[in-house]
mmCIF file with all atom_site columns, all heavy atoms in Angstrom:
data_model
loop_
_atom_site.group_PDB
_atom_site.id
_atom_site.type_symbol
_atom_site.label_atom_id
_atom_site.label_alt_id
_atom_site.label_comp_id
_atom_site.label_asym_id
_atom_site.label_entity_id
_atom_site.label_seq_id
_atom_site.pdbx_PDB_ins_code
_atom_site.Cartn_x
_atom_site.Cartn_y
_atom_site.Cartn_z
_atom_site.occupancy
_atom_site.B_iso_or_equiv
_atom_site.pdbx_formal_charge
_atom_site.auth_seq_id
_atom_site.auth_comp_id
_atom_site.auth_asym_id
_atom_site.auth_atom_id
_atom_site.pdbx_PDB_model_num
ATOM 1  N N   . GLY A 1 134 ? 4.975  0.096  46.200 1.00 47.00 ? 134 GLY A N   1
ATOM 2  C CA  . GLY A 1 134 ? 4.026  -0.106 47.312 1.00 47.00 ? 134 GLY A CA  1
ATOM 3  C C   . GLY A 1 134 ? 3.144  1.065  47.559 1.00 47.00 ? 134 GLY A C   1
ATOM 4  O O   . GLY A 1 134 ? 2.474  1.132  48.576 1.00 47.00 ? 134 GLY A O   1
ATOM 5  N N   . GLY A 1 135 ? 3.065  2.055  46.710 1.00 48.00 ? 135 GLY A N   1
ATOM 6  C CA  . GLY A 1 135 ? 2.197  3.219  46.969 1.00 48.00 ? 135 GLY A CA  1
ATOM 7  C C   . GLY A 1 135 ? 2.137  4.085  45.784 1.00 48.00 ? 135 GLY A C   1
ATOM 8  O O   . GLY A 1 135 ? 2.810  3.887  44.787 1.00 48.00 ? 135 GLY A O   1
ATOM 9  N N   . GLY A 1 136 ? 1.405  5.240  45.892 1.00 49.00 ? 136 GLY A N   1
ATOM 10 C CA  . GLY A 1 136 ? 1.303  6.201  44.825 1.00 49.00 ? 136 GLY A CA  1
ATOM 11 C C   . GLY A 1 136 ? 0.252  5.855  43.806 1.00 49.00 ? 136 GLY A C   1
ATOM 12 O O   . GLY A 1 136 ? -0.592 4.966  44.005 1.00 49.00 ? 136 GLY A O   1
ATOM 13 N N   . THR A 1 137 ? 0.321  6.502  42.664 1.00 53.00 ? 137 THR A N   1
ATOM 14 C CA  . THR A 1 137 ? -0.666 6.343  41.616 1.00 53.00 ? 137 THR A CA  1
ATOM 15 C C   . THR A 1 137 ? -0.274 5.132  40.772 1.00 53.00 ? 137 THR A C   1
ATOM 16 O O   . THR A 1 137 ? 0.854  4.982  40.347 1.00 53.00 ? 137 THR A O   1
ATOM 17 C CB  . THR A 1 137 ? -0.709 7.583  40.716 1.00 53.00 ? 137 THR A CB  1
ATOM 18 O OG1 . THR A 1 137 ? -0.920 8.735  41.542 1.00 53.00 ? 137 THR A OG1 1
ATOM 19 C CG2 . THR A 1 137 ? -1.803 7.485  39.705 1.00 53.00 ? 137 THR A CG2 1
ATOM 20 N N   . SER A 1 138 ? -1.238 4.251  40.484 1.00 55.00 ? 138 SER A N   1
ATOM 21 C CA  . SER A 1 138 ? -1.017 3.084  39.681 1.00 55.00 ? 138 SER A CA  1
ATOM 22 C C   . SER A 1 138 ? -0.966 3.475  38.210 1.00 55.00 ? 138 SER A C   1
ATOM 23 O O   . SER A 1 138 ? -1.272 4.567  37.816 1.00 55.00 ? 138 SER A O   1
ATOM 24 C CB  . SER A 1 138 ? -2.115 2.085  39.896 1.00 55.00 ? 138 SER A CB  1
ATOM 25 O OG  . SER A 1 138 ? -3.373 2.570  39.423 1.00 55.00 ? 138 SER A OG  1
ATOM 26 N N   . HIS A 1 139 ? -0.475 2.473  37.408 1.00 56.00 ? 139 HIS A N   1
ATOM 27 C CA  . HIS A 1 139 ? -0.379 2.716  35.952 1.00 56.00 ? 139 HIS A CA  1
ATOM 28 C C   . HIS A 1 139 ? -1.729 2.964  35.329 1.00 56.00 ? 139 HIS A C   1
ATOM 29 O O   . HIS A 1 139 ? -1.895 3.838  34.466 1.00 56.00 ? 139 HIS A O   1
ATOM 30 C CB  . HIS A 1 139 ? 0.288  1.504  35.343 1.00 56.00 ? 139 HIS A CB  1
ATOM 31 C CG  . HIS A 1 139 ? 0.552  1.677  33.853 1.00 56.00 ? 139 HIS A CG  1
ATOM 32 N ND1 . HIS A 1 139 ? 1.463  2.574  33.351 1.00 56.00 ? 139 HIS A ND1 1
ATOM 33 C CD2 . HIS A 1 139 ? -0.004 1.063  32.784 1.00 56.00 ? 139 HIS A CD2 1
ATOM 34 C CE1 . HIS A 1 139 ? 1.472  2.508  32.042 1.00 56.00 ? 139 HIS A CE1 1
ATOM 35 N NE2 . HIS A 1 139 ? 0.603  1.601  31.652 1.00 56.00 ? 139 HIS A NE2 1
ATOM 36 N N   . ASP A 1 140 ? -2.759 2.235  35.774 1.00 57.00 ? 140 ASP A N   1
ATOM 37 C CA  . ASP A 1 140 ? -4.108 2.422  35.207 1.00 57.00 ? 140 ASP A CA  1
ATOM 38 C C   . ASP A 1 140 ? -4.623 3.811  35.568 1.00 57.00 ? 140 ASP A C   1
ATOM 39 O O   . ASP A 1 140 ? -5.292 4.477  34.727 1.00 57.00 ? 140 ASP A O   1
ATOM 40 C CB  . ASP A 1 140 ? -5.063 1.349  35.762 1.00 57.00 ? 140 ASP A CB  1
ATOM 41 C CG  . ASP A 1 140 ? -4.676 -0.047 35.261 1.00 57.00 ? 140 ASP A CG  1
ATOM 42 O OD1 . ASP A 1 140 ? -3.993 -0.089 34.204 1.00 57.00 ? 140 ASP A OD1 1
ATOM 43 O OD2 . ASP A 1 140 ? -5.036 -1.020 35.937 1.00 57.00 ? 140 ASP A OD2 1
ATOM 44 N N   . GLU A 1 141 ? -4.350 4.281  36.788 1.00 59.00 ? 141 GLU A N   1
ATOM 45 C CA  . GLU A 1 141 ? -4.838 5.611  37.153 1.00 59.00 ? 141 GLU A CA  1
ATOM 46 C C   . GLU A 1 141 ? -4.137 6.677  36.342 1.00 59.00 ? 141 GLU A C   1
ATOM 47 O O   . GLU A 1 141 ? -4.759 7.698  35.951 1.00 59.00 ? 141 GLU A O   1
ATOM 48 C CB  . GLU A 1 141 ? -4.547 5.826  38.647 1.00 59.00 ? 141 GLU A CB  1
ATOM 49 C CG  . GLU A 1 141 ? -5.437 4.969  39.577 1.00 59.00 ? 141 GLU A CG  1
ATOM 50 C CD  . GLU A 1 141 ? -5.094 5.172  41.037 1.00 59.00 ? 141 GLU A CD  1
ATOM 51 O OE1 . GLU A 1 141 ? -4.086 5.840  41.285 1.00 59.00 ? 141 GLU A OE1 1
ATOM 52 O OE2 . GLU A 1 141 ? -5.818 4.644  41.885 1.00 59.00 ? 141 GLU A OE2 1
ATOM 53 N N   . GLN A 1 142 ? -2.828 6.488  36.058 1.00 59.00 ? 142 GLN A N   1
ATOM 54 C CA  . GLN A 1 142 ? -2.128 7.443  35.225 1.00 59.00 ? 142 GLN A CA  1
ATOM 55 C C   . GLN A 1 142 ? -2.701 7.511  33.811 1.00 59.00 ? 142 GLN A C   1
ATOM 56 O O   . GLN A 1 142 ? -2.850 8.529  33.200 1.00 59.00 ? 142 GLN A O   1
ATOM 57 C CB  . GLN A 1 142 ? -0.624 7.088  35.122 1.00 59.00 ? 142 GLN A CB  1
ATOM 58 C CG  . GLN A 1 142 ? 0.119  7.260  36.477 1.00 59.00 ? 142 GLN A CG  1
ATOM 59 C CD  . GLN A 1 142 ? 1.560  6.792  36.326 1.00 59.00 ? 142 GLN A CD  1
ATOM 60 O OE1 . GLN A 1 142 ? 1.967  6.346  35.334 1.00 59.00 ? 142 GLN A OE1 1
ATOM 61 N NE2 . GLN A 1 142 ? 2.292  7.003  37.390 1.00 59.00 ? 142 GLN A NE2 1
ATOM 62 N N   . GLU A 1 143 ? -3.091 6.321  33.267 1.00 59.00 ? 143 GLU A N   1
ATOM 63 C CA  . GLU A 1 143 ? -3.695 6.285  31.946 1.00 59.00 ? 143 GLU A CA  1
ATOM 64 C C   . GLU A 1 143 ? -5.046 7.022  31.978 1.00 59.00 ? 143 GLU A C   1
ATOM 65 O O   . GLU A 1 143 ? -5.382 7.713  31.057 1.00 59.00 ? 143 GLU A O   1
ATOM 66 C CB  . GLU A 1 143 ? -3.906 4.835  31.503 1.00 59.00 ? 143 GLU A CB  1
ATOM 67 C CG  . GLU A 1 143 ? -2.606 4.134  31.140 1.00 59.00 ? 143 GLU A CG  1
ATOM 68 C CD  . GLU A 1 143 ? -2.882 2.742  30.591 1.00 59.00 ? 143 GLU A CD  1
ATOM 69 O OE1 . GLU A 1 143 ? -4.004 2.296  30.669 1.00 59.00 ? 143 GLU A OE1 1
ATOM 70 O OE2 . GLU A 1 143 ? -1.876 2.105  30.131 1.00 59.00 ? 143 GLU A OE2 1
ATOM 71 N N   . ASP A 1 144 ? -5.840 6.800  33.080 1.00 59.00 ? 144 ASP A N   1
ATOM 72 C CA  . ASP A 1 144 ? -7.150 7.482  33.185 1.00 59.00 ? 144 ASP A CA  1
ATOM 73 C C   . ASP A 1 144 ? -6.933 9.017  33.208 1.00 59.00 ? 144 ASP A C   1
ATOM 74 O O   . ASP A 1 144 ? -7.706 9.760  32.558 1.00 59.00 ? 144 ASP A O   1
ATOM 75 C CB  . ASP A 1 144 ? -7.867 7.012  34.432 1.00 59.00 ? 144 ASP A CB  1
ATOM 76 C CG  . ASP A 1 144 ? -8.276 5.561  34.360 1.00 59.00 ? 144 ASP A CG  1
ATOM 77 O OD1 . ASP A 1 144 ? -8.348 5.048  33.216 1.00 59.00 ? 144 ASP A OD1 1
ATOM 78 O OD2 . ASP A 1 144 ? -8.487 4.917  35.411 1.00 59.00 ? 144 ASP A OD2 1
ATOM 79 N N   . GLU A 1 145 ? -5.892 9.460  33.953 1.00 60.00 ? 145 GLU A N   1
ATOM 80 C CA  . GLU A 1 145 ? -5.631 10.904 33.994 1.00 60.00 ? 145 GLU A CA  1
ATOM 81 C C   . GLU A 1 145 ? -5.265 11.449 32.633 1.00 60.00 ? 145 GLU A C   1
ATOM 82 O O   . GLU A 1 145 ? -5.678 12.507 32.219 1.00 60.00 ? 145 GLU A O   1
ATOM 83 C CB  . GLU A 1 145 ? -4.535 11.198 34.990 1.00 60.00 ? 145 GLU A CB  1
ATOM 84 C CG  . GLU A 1 145 ? -4.954 10.920 36.428 1.00 60.00 ? 145 GLU A CG  1
ATOM 85 C CD  . GLU A 1 145 ? -3.776 11.163 37.390 1.00 60.00 ? 145 GLU A CD  1
ATOM 86 O OE1 . GLU A 1 145 ? -2.671 11.518 36.920 1.00 60.00 ? 145 GLU A OE1 1
ATOM 87 O OE2 . GLU A 1 145 ? -3.974 11.000 38.604 1.00 60.00 ? 145 GLU A OE2 1
#
Side-chain angles (χ1 to χ4, degrees):
T137 305
S138 65
H139 184 68
D140 293 337
E141 291 176 353
Q142 291 177 357
E143 288 184 353
D144 293 339
E145 291 177 0

